[in-house]
Protein backbone atom coordinates (compact mmCIF):
# COMPACT_ATOMS: atom_id res chain seq x y z
CA UNK A 1 0.00 0.00 0.00
CA UNK A 2 1.18 3.52 -0.83
CA UNK A 3 -0.08 6.45 1.28
CA UNK A 4 -0.42 9.90 -0.25
CA UNK A 5 -0.37 12.43 2.60
CA UNK A 6 -1.71 15.92 1.94
CA UNK A 7 -2.28 18.91 4.23
CA UNK A 8 -5.28 21.08 3.32
CA UNK A 9 -5.65 24.63 4.60
CA UNK A 10 -8.41 26.76 3.09
CA UNK A 11 -8.31 24.72 -0.12
CA UNK A 12 -12.04 24.85 -0.91
CA UNK A 13 -12.51 24.23 -4.61
CA UNK A 14 -9.22 22.32 -4.75
CA UNK A 15 -10.46 19.04 -3.28
CA UNK A 16 -12.35 17.85 -6.37
CA UNK A 17 -9.53 18.94 -8.70
CA UNK A 18 -6.99 17.13 -6.50
CA UNK A 19 -8.87 13.82 -6.51
CA UNK A 20 -9.72 14.04 -10.20
CA UNK A 21 -6.05 14.45 -11.10
CA UNK A 22 -4.77 11.81 -8.68
CA UNK A 23 -7.46 9.41 -9.88
CA UNK A 24 -6.47 9.92 -13.48
CA UNK A 25 -2.72 9.58 -12.89
CA UNK A 26 -2.75 6.69 -10.42
CA UNK A 27 -5.60 4.61 -11.82
CA UNK A 28 -3.33 2.53 -14.09
CA UNK A 29 -1.31 1.54 -10.99
CA UNK A 30 -4.33 0.92 -8.80
CA UNK A 31 -4.82 -2.61 -10.11
CA UNK A 32 -1.42 -3.64 -8.74
CA UNK A 33 -0.99 -1.23 -5.86
CA UNK A 34 -3.36 -0.27 -3.09
CA UNK A 35 -3.62 3.45 -2.35
CA UNK A 36 -4.47 5.31 0.81
CA UNK A 37 -5.24 9.04 0.71
CA UNK A 38 -4.48 10.69 4.04
CA UNK A 39 -5.98 14.19 3.97
CA UNK A 40 -5.28 16.48 6.89
CA UNK A 41 -7.59 19.44 7.36
CA UNK A 42 -5.37 22.02 9.06
CA UNK A 43 -8.09 24.13 10.71
CA UNK A 44 -9.51 25.47 7.45
CA UNK A 45 -12.05 28.27 7.80
CA UNK A 46 -13.73 27.60 4.46
CA UNK A 47 -15.58 24.62 2.99
CA UNK A 48 -12.45 22.39 2.81
CA UNK A 49 -13.56 20.01 5.58
CA UNK A 50 -17.04 19.58 4.11
CA UNK A 51 -15.59 18.94 0.67
CA UNK A 52 -13.23 16.33 2.11
CA UNK A 53 -16.06 14.67 4.04
CA UNK A 54 -18.13 14.48 0.86
CA UNK A 55 -15.29 12.96 -1.14
CA UNK A 56 -15.50 9.45 -2.46
CA UNK A 57 -11.93 8.57 -3.49
CA UNK A 58 -11.51 7.25 -7.05
CA UNK A 59 -10.16 4.00 -5.54
CA UNK A 60 -8.42 2.99 -2.35
CA UNK A 61 -9.07 4.34 1.12
CA UNK A 62 -9.60 7.89 2.35
CA UNK A 63 -8.30 8.75 5.81
CA UNK A 64 -9.47 12.14 7.02
CA UNK A 65 -7.60 13.82 9.86
CA UNK A 66 -9.23 16.97 11.19
CA UNK A 67 -6.99 19.17 13.33
CA UNK A 68 -8.60 21.30 16.05
CA UNK A 69 -7.14 24.53 14.64
CA UNK A 70 -4.60 25.75 12.12
CA UNK A 71 -1.20 24.40 13.17
CA UNK A 72 0.73 25.06 9.97
CA UNK A 73 1.88 22.79 7.20
CA UNK A 74 4.72 21.14 9.14
CA UNK A 75 2.45 19.98 11.95
CA UNK A 76 -0.28 18.95 9.51
CA UNK A 77 2.15 16.83 7.54
CA UNK A 78 3.46 15.32 10.76
CA UNK A 79 -0.08 14.37 11.80
CA UNK A 80 -0.65 12.84 8.38
CA UNK A 81 2.51 10.79 8.69
CA UNK A 82 1.23 9.44 12.02
CA UNK A 83 -1.96 8.17 10.40
CA UNK A 84 -0.41 6.81 7.20
CA UNK A 85 -0.23 3.01 7.17
CA UNK A 86 1.38 2.51 3.74
CA UNK A 87 4.57 0.59 2.97
CA UNK A 88 5.63 3.84 1.31
CA UNK A 89 4.49 7.39 2.00
CA UNK A 90 4.35 10.34 -0.40
CA UNK A 91 3.79 13.79 1.12
CA UNK A 92 2.14 16.00 -1.49
CA UNK A 93 0.69 19.54 -1.55
CA UNK A 94 -3.03 20.00 -2.17
CA UNK A 95 -2.60 22.56 -4.95
CA UNK A 96 -0.97 20.09 -7.38
CA UNK A 97 2.30 22.04 -7.42
CA UNK A 98 3.81 18.66 -6.60
CA UNK A 99 2.90 16.99 -9.90
CA UNK A 100 1.20 13.62 -9.26
CA UNK A 101 2.61 12.52 -12.63
CA UNK A 102 5.92 11.87 -10.81
CA UNK A 103 4.39 9.37 -8.42
CA UNK A 104 4.37 6.35 -10.80
CA UNK A 105 8.12 6.84 -11.40
CA UNK A 106 8.71 7.24 -7.65
CA UNK A 107 6.89 3.99 -7.03
CA UNK A 108 8.85 2.23 -9.79
CA UNK A 109 12.16 3.28 -8.19
CA UNK A 110 10.93 2.25 -4.78
CA UNK A 111 9.88 -1.18 -6.06
CA UNK A 112 13.42 -1.54 -7.44
CA UNK A 113 14.64 -1.11 -3.87
CA UNK A 114 15.40 2.60 -3.37
CA UNK A 115 13.99 3.73 -0.01
CA UNK A 116 13.87 7.47 -0.81
CA UNK A 117 12.94 9.04 -4.14
CA UNK A 118 13.35 12.82 -4.08
CA UNK A 119 11.63 15.24 -6.43
CA UNK A 120 14.00 18.11 -7.17
CA UNK A 121 13.01 21.25 -9.02
CA UNK A 122 14.87 21.97 -12.24
CA UNK A 123 14.54 25.70 -11.66
CA UNK A 124 12.57 28.05 -9.46
CA UNK A 125 10.98 30.06 -12.24
CA UNK A 126 7.51 29.77 -10.73
CA UNK A 127 8.73 31.62 -7.57
CA UNK A 128 9.19 35.38 -7.31
CA UNK A 129 12.71 36.82 -6.91
CA UNK A 130 12.30 37.41 -3.18
CA UNK A 131 11.35 33.79 -2.49
CA UNK A 132 14.14 32.61 -4.81
CA UNK A 133 16.84 34.66 -3.14
CA UNK A 134 15.73 34.03 0.46
CA UNK A 135 15.50 30.34 -0.32
CA UNK A 136 18.98 30.23 -1.92
CA UNK A 137 20.40 32.08 1.10
CA UNK A 138 18.70 29.67 3.49
CA UNK A 139 20.18 26.57 1.85
CA UNK A 140 23.63 28.17 1.55
CA UNK A 141 23.77 29.08 5.25
CA UNK A 142 22.09 25.90 6.48
CA UNK A 143 24.27 23.57 4.46
CA UNK A 144 27.48 25.30 5.62
CA UNK A 145 26.50 24.98 9.25
CA UNK A 146 24.73 21.64 9.36
CA UNK A 147 26.26 18.17 9.42
CA UNK A 148 23.45 16.78 7.28
CA UNK A 149 22.75 18.96 4.26
CA UNK A 150 19.26 19.53 2.90
CA UNK A 151 19.22 19.05 -0.87
CA UNK A 152 18.45 22.50 -2.36
CA UNK A 153 15.32 22.78 -4.50
CA UNK A 154 13.71 19.70 -3.02
CA UNK A 155 10.46 20.19 -1.11
CA UNK A 156 8.59 17.75 1.06
CA UNK A 157 7.45 16.03 -2.14
CA UNK A 158 9.23 12.67 -2.25
CA UNK A 159 8.55 9.01 -1.66
CA UNK A 160 9.78 7.51 1.59
CA UNK A 161 9.78 3.86 2.52
CA UNK A 162 7.99 2.76 5.69
CA UNK A 163 11.41 2.41 7.39
CA UNK A 164 12.13 6.10 6.81
CA UNK A 165 8.63 7.13 7.89
CA UNK A 166 9.06 5.18 11.13
CA UNK A 167 12.40 6.88 11.85
CA UNK A 168 10.86 10.32 11.37
CA UNK A 169 7.80 9.39 13.44
CA UNK A 170 10.01 8.23 16.29
CA UNK A 171 11.79 11.59 16.58
CA UNK A 172 10.81 13.57 19.67
CA UNK A 173 10.88 17.02 18.00
CA UNK A 174 7.62 18.88 18.41
CA UNK A 175 8.42 22.09 16.48
CA UNK A 176 9.04 20.26 13.26
CA UNK A 177 10.80 21.20 10.06
CA UNK A 178 9.87 18.15 8.03
CA UNK A 179 12.30 18.63 5.18
CA UNK A 180 15.17 18.82 7.67
CA UNK A 181 14.02 15.75 9.59
CA UNK A 182 13.46 13.78 6.39
CA UNK A 183 17.01 14.59 5.24
CA UNK A 184 18.44 13.82 8.65
CA UNK A 185 16.92 10.33 8.53
CA UNK A 186 19.31 9.42 5.70
CA UNK A 187 18.81 6.23 3.61
CA UNK A 188 19.85 5.83 -0.05
CA UNK A 189 18.00 8.24 -2.29
CA UNK A 190 17.25 8.55 -5.99
CA UNK A 191 16.35 11.88 -7.57
CA UNK A 192 13.77 12.83 -10.17
CA UNK A 193 13.77 16.34 -11.59
CA UNK A 194 10.67 18.31 -12.44
CA UNK A 195 9.43 21.77 -13.28
CA UNK A 196 7.11 23.15 -10.62
CA UNK A 197 3.82 24.35 -12.07
CA UNK A 198 1.82 27.23 -10.62
CA UNK A 199 -0.99 26.47 -8.15
CA UNK A 200 -3.93 24.68 -9.81
CA UNK A 201 -6.41 26.96 -8.02
CA UNK A 202 -6.62 29.37 -5.05
CA UNK A 203 -3.65 31.22 -3.62
CA UNK A 204 -0.59 30.58 -1.49
CA UNK A 205 -1.14 30.30 2.26
CA UNK A 206 2.18 31.98 2.95
CA UNK A 207 3.12 35.57 3.29
CA UNK A 208 6.71 36.71 3.69
CA UNK A 209 6.42 37.33 7.40
CA UNK A 210 5.28 33.73 7.94
CA UNK A 211 7.92 32.35 5.62
N1 LIG B 1 -0.95 24.35 4.29
C1 LIG B 1 -1.37 23.86 5.52
N2 LIG B 1 -1.38 24.71 6.60
C2 LIG B 1 -0.98 26.02 6.51
C3 LIG B 1 -0.51 26.50 5.26
C4 LIG B 1 -0.50 25.63 4.17
O1 LIG B 1 -1.75 22.70 5.64
O2 LIG B 1 -1.03 26.72 7.53
C5 LIG B 1 -0.93 23.44 3.12
C6 LIG B 1 -1.64 23.95 1.87
O3 LIG B 1 -3.02 23.69 1.91
C7 LIG B 1 -0.92 23.19 0.77
C8 LIG B 1 0.51 23.10 1.31
O4 LIG B 1 0.41 23.28 2.72
O5 LIG B 1 -1.41 21.88 0.61
C9 LIG B 1 1.45 24.14 0.71
O6 LIG B 1 0.88 25.42 0.87
P1 LIG B 1 0.98 26.54 -0.26
O7 LIG B 1 0.66 25.94 -1.60
O8 LIG B 1 0.11 27.68 0.15
O9 LIG B 1 2.51 26.95 -0.18
P2 LIG B 1 3.47 27.40 -1.40
O10 LIG B 1 3.34 26.35 -2.47
O11 LIG B 1 2.97 28.72 -1.86
O12 LIG B 1 4.84 27.44 -0.78
MG1 LIG C 1 1.65 25.69 -3.30
Amino acid sequence: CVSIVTPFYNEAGMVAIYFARLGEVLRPLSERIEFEFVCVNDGSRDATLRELQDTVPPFGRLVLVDLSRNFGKEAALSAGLDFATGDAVVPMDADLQDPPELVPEMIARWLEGTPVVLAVREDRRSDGWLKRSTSAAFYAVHNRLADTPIPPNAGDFRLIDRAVADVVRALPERQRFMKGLLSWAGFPAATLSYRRPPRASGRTKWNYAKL
Side-chain angles (χ1 to χ4, degrees):
C1 170
V2 173
S3 304
I4 312 280
V5 176
T6 300
F8 287 78
Y9 176 55
N10 293 346
E11 300 283 6
M14 201 56 244
V15 176
I17 303 173
Y18 170 90
F19 277 101
R21 181 85 165 271
L22 281 172
E24 194 182 314
V25 173
L26 301 180
R27 185 173 303 282
L29 296 178
S30 67
E31 283 155 28
R32 289 186 296 126
I33 290 165
E34 208 184 310
F35 284 96
E36 173 183 75
F37 302 95
V38 181
C39 298
V40 183
N41 176 43
D42 184 19
S44 299
R45 279 176 279 263
D46 62 5
T48 300
L49 177 61
R50 193 154 27 82
E51 290 182 12
L52 286 170
Q53 284 167 333
D54 290 345
T55 294
V56 179
F59 41 78
R61 170 168 70 236
L62 175 64
V63 178
L64 182 46
V65 182
D66 184 26
L67 301 187
S68 58
R69 64 168 171 87
N70 178 241
F71 284 90
K73 180 185 172 178
E74 306 295 327
L77 200 54
S78 228
L81 210 57
D82 277 345
F83 281 87
T85 65
D87 307 301
V89 180
V90 180
M92 182 189 287
D93 284 358
D95 59 7
L96 300 175
Q97 286 198 278
D98 298 334
E101 286 74 12
L102 264 70
V103 174
E105 182 64 24
M106 288 176 172
I107 292 176
R109 300 289 182 94
W110 170 63
L111 291 173
E112 286 165 18
T114 312
V116 176
V117 187
L118 282 175
V120 173
R121 297 167 65 168
E122 262 168 37
D123 60 57
R124 300 189 69 109
R125 253 183 276 180
S126 61
D127 286 340
W129 73 268
L130 186 57
K131 173 113 176 228
R132 274 206 302 264
S133 36
T134 48
S135 158
F138 169 77
Y139 287 113
V141 172
H142 178 279
N143 288 348
R144 277 200 76 157
L145 297 176
D147 295 331
T148 48
I150 299 176
N153 302 329
D156 297 315
F157 185 37
R158 63 190 65 198
L159 178 147
I160 57 174
D161 184 79
R162 167 55 44 197
V164 186
D166 284 345
V167 166
V168 174
R169 285 190 57 198
L171 297 174
E173 277 79 4
R174 304 190 71 84
Q175 295 286 333
R176 300 188 128 198
F177 174 49
M178 290 306 283
K179 201 165 24 178
L181 298 179
L182 290 166
S183 302
W184 178 88
F187 291 90
T191 297
L192 306 178
S193 76
Y194 75 107
R195 189 158 288 168
R196 195 164 176 84
R199 246 183 182 274
S201 163
R203 45 192 305 214
T204 178
K205 312 304 174 220
W206 294 100
N207 54 46
Y208 280 103
K210 225 169 150 187
L211 197 59

